[in-house]
């Protein structure tokens, strides 16, 4: 296993480079911005359909109203994602623009949304009550049009970049107000982007008699069909923990290429269920969240219990107690970095094998035993058993699946946990024995080793005291933003900072967020703390924080997890980093 890990580490820079690809990041971050829309609309689907599972019949007016809310939120997902993806990609492009040149993010966002409508939406005429009426075919304005969203966003941003770099614009006298001047500067790139999307749509309609959105869906349907098979799903959930094991946030690489299918298949399952047919699609957002990633990447839902009940080492039990509640809500970083599981040879096999086993078992339950496929998009932090039961309408197959998955995951992890526990016990025994035998000599050597850095430590402490005094005398509190991949562990550290600030009497306000939805938040903060799972974005983020005069702090695995449980230490950590020179 060590040989495998060394081989993986050799290719780690390449995988990190892939994860920082601006187009994959734009798709991922564009979806992050639209997640409130997706989650909100799914709740109304539950309200409309779940009561019937228990024999409760809602008034038709209530059902119609819930469906209306869904259609005017989720039904416009394609339009929204086109805009958010374009905005995020524009931000990345602005980092690469020549000095003094900048693309207008709002303008590209609007242009991409208009371009999407040209690519994915058709108009039709009909006669209603004797009057001729014209309307939109809304079938491709939602999740079916997501691939058109990406094409529109990417094409729009590149056209804007071309025009801005080459000064293809309308120049107005300097006396003209800035907002009006900007509107005129954007006329040419906006026009070119809209015309380009219109021409693409025109060519498609003349060649195949259908809008561009249908062409793209048809061309990529074999890929999505392959991915929607048990083997395809198993492949995706093999790759995600493999990347995470190397310290790279796996979903950031694996999900963007299949994000459109994850959302679309959930909608297809809902349509099948509504029509009285069996919803059989596998590759859905919540299928991955609650089955493939039960308790977080690596299917770690019950692993803290193994640590607490069966492992004997002090370290394992401490990690289990610290991670049991977070893992319940799919926040498993305390376990990944605390055990650690990442880059730990003992956990390579179960960390990859458990998710693959889970999705294959889940596929069997859907395709063979007739369990309903997942048709809602509940928050990823919903406890996995509850998420499975809600999505399957409390079918007996869903209840049985929860039991089977728990048993299988425990059986897969158990022998590897016991082997790791044996190593930890040996290490703890050697440490205890060394302390007994050597007694005072260990303390003497520790003091000798610390002596050369004592003056540096004193200097650091003085700087931290000065930072405290500076904050105390300031009229404004220090505003700290903690960013992680999904706003899970960042909330833990933000809470620790808030608690530590109250205990220490320090004027500090902390908030948490997910990397990708932070762009508009940055100007409101003085410090950004980057969690280890998104640490590979440090250089990209630093360009923004430097421009805004914000202090950027990165953290490492165990250090980060320790700070979430140590309010005073979290405050001292931030203050010490604030006092450091870049």
């Amino acid at each position: 296993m060590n040989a495998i890990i060394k081989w993986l580490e050799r290719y780690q820079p390449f995988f990190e480079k892939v994860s920082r690809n601006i187009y994959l990041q734009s798709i991922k971050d564009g979806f992050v911005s639209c997640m409130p829309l997706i989650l909100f609309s799914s709740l109304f689907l539950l309200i409309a359909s779940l009561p019937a599972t228990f024999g409760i019949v809602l008034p038709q007016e209530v059902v119609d109203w819930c469906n209306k809310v869904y259609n005017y939120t989720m039904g416009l997902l394609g339009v929204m994602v086109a805009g958010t993806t374009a905005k995020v990609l524009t931000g990345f492009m602005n980092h690469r623009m020549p000095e003094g040149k900048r693309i207008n993010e709002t303008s590209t966002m609007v242009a991409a949304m208009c371009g999407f409508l040209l690519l994915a939406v058709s108009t039709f005429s009909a006669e209603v009550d004797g009057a001729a009426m014209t309307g939109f075919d809304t079938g491709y304005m939602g999740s079916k049009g997501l691939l058109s969203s990406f094409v529109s966003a990417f094409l729009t941003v590149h056209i804007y970049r071309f025009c801005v770099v080459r000064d293809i614009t309308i120049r107005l006298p300097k006396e003209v107000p800035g907002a009006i001047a900007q509107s005129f500067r954007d006329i040419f790139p906006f026009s070119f982007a809209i015309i380009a999307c219109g021409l693409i749509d025109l060519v498609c309609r003349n060649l195949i008699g259908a809008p561009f959105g249908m062409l793209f869906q048809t061309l990529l349907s074999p890929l999505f069909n392959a991915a929607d098979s048990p083997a395809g799903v198993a492949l995706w959930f093999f790759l995600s923990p493999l990347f995470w094991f190397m310290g790279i946030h796996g979903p950031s690489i694996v999900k963007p290429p299949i994000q459109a299918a994850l959302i679309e298949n959930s909608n297809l399952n809902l349509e099948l269920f509504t029509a009285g047919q069996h919803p059989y699609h596998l590759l859905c957002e919540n299928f991955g969240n609650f089955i493939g990633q039960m308790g977080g990447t690596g299917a770690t839902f019950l692993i803290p219990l193994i640590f607490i009940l069966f492992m004997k080492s002090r370290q394992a039990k401490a990690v289990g107690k610290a991670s049991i509640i977070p893992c319940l809500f799919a926040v498993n970083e305390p376990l990944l970095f605390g055990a650690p599981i990442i880059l730990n040879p003992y956990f390579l096999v179960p960390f990859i094998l458990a998710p693959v086993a889970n999705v294959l078992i889940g596929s069997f339950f859907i395709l063979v035993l007739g369990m309903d496929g997942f048709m809602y998009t509940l928050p990823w932090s919903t406890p996995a058993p509850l998420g499975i039961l809600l999505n399957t309408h409390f079918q007996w197959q869903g209840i049985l699946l929860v039991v089977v998955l728990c048993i299988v995951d425990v059986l897969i992890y158990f022998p590897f946990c016991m082997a790791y526990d044996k190593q930890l016990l040996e290490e703890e025994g050697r440490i205890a024995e060394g302390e007994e035998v050597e007694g005072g000599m260990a303390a003497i050597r520790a003091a000798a080793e610390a002596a050369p850095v004592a003056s540096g430590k004193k200097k650091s402490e003085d700087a931290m005291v000065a930072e405290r005094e500076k904050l105390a005398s300031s009229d404004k509190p220090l505003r700290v933003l903690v960013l992680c991949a999904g706003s899970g562990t960042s909330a833990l550290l933000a809470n620790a900072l808030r608690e530590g600030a109250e205990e220490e009497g320090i004027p500090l306000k902390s908030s948490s967020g997910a990397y990708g939805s932070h762009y508009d938040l940055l100007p409101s903060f003085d410090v950004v703390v980057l969690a280890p799972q998104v640490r590979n974005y440090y250089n990209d983020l630093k360009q923004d924080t430097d421009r805004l005069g914000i202090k950027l702090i990165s953290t490492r695995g165990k250090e980060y997890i320790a700070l979430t449980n140590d309010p005073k230490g979290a405050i001292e950590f931030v203050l010490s980093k604030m006092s450091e020179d870049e």
Side-chain angles (χ1 to χ4, degrees), residues 311-363:
M311 296 176 71
K312 298 179 181 179
S313 71
R314 292 192 299 271
Q315 176 181 327
K317 287 186 177 296
V319 170
K321 291 175 183 177
S323 58
I324 186 168
I325 298 300
C327 281
L328 178 66
F329 297 98
V331 180
N332 67 342
E333 283 87 351
L335 184 65
L336 299 185
F337 296 116
I341 287 180
I342 288 175
L343 286 176
N344 185 337
Y346 285 92
F347 289 107
L348 172 61
V349 171
F351 191 66
I352 295 174
L353 179 60
V356 172
N358 281 10
V359 296
L360 290 176
I361 292 169
S363 301

Side-chain angles (χ1 to χ4, degrees), residues 481 483 511-514 517-525 528 548 550:
L481 174 64
L483 294 176
S511 298
S512 61
S517 60
H518 65 281
Y519 303 103
D520 295 329
L521 301 176
L522 286 181
S524 302
F525 292 89
V528 174
L548 296 169
I550 299 170

Side-chain angles (χ1 to χ4, degrees), residues 228-544:
D228 196 28
S229 65
V233 174
L235 174 63
W236 293 118
F237 288 95
F238 166 82
L239 293 174
S240 185
L242 177 65
F243 287 124
W244 235 139
F245 186 82
M246 293 183 287
I248 301 168
H249 193 255
S252 298
I253 299 177
V254 173
K255 284 187 71 173
I258 59 170
Q259 188 72 66
L262 293 175
I263 302 298
E264 173 60 11
N265 284 342
S266 300
N267 290 336
L268 291 175
N269 276 342
L270 179 65
E271 292 174 6
L272 289 169
F273 179 78
T274 305
Q277 301 177 38
H278 177 229
Y280 61 88
H281 292 285
L282 304 175
L283 195 66
C284 303
E285 182 76 27
N286 277 174
F287 181 88
N289 290 342
F290 303 143
I291 294 181
Q293 297 175 333
M294 189 177 188
T297 304
T300 58
F301 185 72
L302 291 178
I303 309 313
L305 280 179
I306 297 178
F307 277 46
I308 296 171
L309 298 178
F310 299 102
M311 296 176 71
K312 298 179 181 179
S313 71
R314 292 192 299 271
Q315 176 181 327
K317 287 186 177 296
V319 170
K321 291 175 183 177
S323 58
I324 186 168
I325 298 300
C327 281
L328 178 66
F329 297 98
V331 180
N332 67 342
E333 283 87 351
L335 184 65
L336 299 185
F337 296 116
I341 287 180
I342 288 175
L343 286 176
N344 185 337
Y346 285 92
F347 289 107
L348 172 61
V349 171
F351 191 66
I352 295 174
L353 179 60
V356 172
N358 281 10
V359 296
L360 290 176
I361 292 169
S363 301
F364 176 80
F365 270 71
I366 292 173
L367 300 178
V368 178
L369 298 185
M371 186 182 79
D372 287 343
F374 286 39
M375 61 193 77
Y376 308 119
T377 305
L378 302 176
W380 60 267
S381 55
T382 304
L386 178 60
I388 292 172
L389 295 178
L390 288 173
N391 263 279
T392 58
H393 302 108
F394 291 85
Q395 290 177 299
W396 69 265
Q397 297 98 323
I399 297 171
L400 179 61
L401 176 62
V402 171
V403 175
V404 170
L405 292 180
C406 290
I407 293 173
V408 169
D409 289 346
V410 168
L411 290 177
I412 289 174
Y413 269 97
F414 190 81
F416 296 93
C417 290
M418 292 299 99
Y420 183 50
D421 188 46
K422 182 179 179 181
Q423 181 198 340
L424 291 178
L425 286 172
E426 290 175 356
E427 291 178 356
E428 290 174 1
R430 284 196 297 269
I431 292 171
E433 184 181 348
E435 289 174 352
E436 260 180 48
V437 173
E438 298 184 11
M441 287 302 295
I444 294 172
R445 280 200 299 272
E449 290 173 359
V453 297
S455 60
K457 184 178 180 182
K458 178 67 166 60
K459 182 179 178 181
S460 175
E461 290 175 351
D462 290 344
M464 197 158 58
V465 170
E467 196 66 40
R468 283 175 182 267
E469 293 175 350
K470 179 181 175 183
L471 276 176
S473 62
S474 175
D475 295 333
K476 296 181 180 180
L478 183 68
R479 300 163 300 176
V480 182
L481 174 64
V482 187
L483 294 176
C484 69
S487 196
T489 53
S490 60
L492 298 178
L493 183 52
N495 291 337
L497 286 168
R498 200 175 299 118
E499 184 180 337
E502 291 176 1
E503 292 176 358
E504 299 286 317
I506 294 175
L508 182 146
K509 292 184 178 180
S510 59
S511 298
S512 61
Y515 188 94
S517 60
H518 65 281
Y519 303 103
D520 295 329
L521 301 176
L522 286 181
S524 302
F525 292 89
D526 308 303
V527 181
V528 174
V529 180
L530 207 56
Q533 57 266 45
V534 289
R535 195 168 178 268
N536 54 317
Y537 299 133
Y538 179 87
N539 291 331
D540 297 328
L541 183 58
K542 198 168 190 315
Q543 296 180 54
D544 290 325

